[in-house]
Amino acid sequence: ARDRMLMVEKNYFEECQAFMRILSTIAGQMRQKTIKDVVPPSYQRYCQKAKEYISQHIDQRITINEIAEYVGINKNYLTNIFSCCEKDRLSEYINRVKLNRLQELIVKYNYSIKKAGETVGFYDVNYVSRIFKKYYGITISEYRRMSSK
């Protein structure tokens, strides 16, 4: 009877171990899910539409109200949805897209800071310099020097 009891306990212990391995595997798979797997498709559509608007109007001042109107939803709802879909807030995303284009204009086409800024809808040279330094950690002059090497 004692041997039978030990055998039952051993089987129970092995089953628990197997169950824990299964749970561990499931937990690992859940951690690997991307944001696209957990964000509702409607959110993704709204975010895509907002991104379209931004790329189509990169040469202008862009407000979140304009984007929300284009997308067809409330401004606050849009900013919340966008944060779910992207790693950046909507305002940061706009700046990042504009700054990426500004970088290209400065290095590839040798635009002045003023001309590059105006081309992406930034009309204040000081603001362009500040925001560039904030996002990239270096000044535009330093960036030009590094890019020309």
Side-chain angles (χ1 to χ4, degrees), residues 7-46:
M7 186 72 137
V8 169
E9 285 178 8
K10 183 180 175 203
N11 287 343
Y12 177 75
F13 179 72
E14 288 171 355
E15 286 176 14
C16 286
Q17 281 184 316
F19 183 70
M20 292 305 287
R21 278 194 298 275
I22 291 168
L23 283 179
S24 177
T25 301
I26 291 169
Q29 289 172 347
M30 289 178 74
R31 281 192 299 273
Q32 290 176 354
K33 283 189 180 275
T34 65
I35 208 157
K36 302 269 186 269
D37 296 328
V38 292
V39 173
S42 62
Y43 283 24
Q44 293 175 34
R45 283 192 301 276
Y46 289 136

Side-chain angles (χ1 to χ4, degrees), residues 50-66:
K51 288 177 177 181
E52 286 170 17
Y53 184 88
I54 293 163
S55 68
Q56 291 167 3
H57 296 86
I58 194 169
D59 60 335
Q60 301 165 13
R61 278 202 174 111
I62 299 172
T63 68
I64 294 174
N65 279 333
E66 292 168 349

Side-chain angles (χ1 to χ4, degrees), residues 13 30 39 45-46 64 76 82-83 96 128 131 137-138:
F13 179 72
M30 289 178 74
V39 173
R45 283 192 301 276
Y46 289 136
I64 294 174
N76 295 330
F82 202 88
S83 295
R96 195 167 305 284
V128 171
I131 197 165
I138 59 173

Side-chain angles (χ1 to χ4, degrees), residues 63-77:
T63 68
I64 294 174
N65 279 333
E66 292 168 349
I67 299 168
E69 198 171 299
Y70 175 80
V71 172
I73 58 177
N74 174 285
K75 167 188 160 180
N76 295 330
Y77 187 50

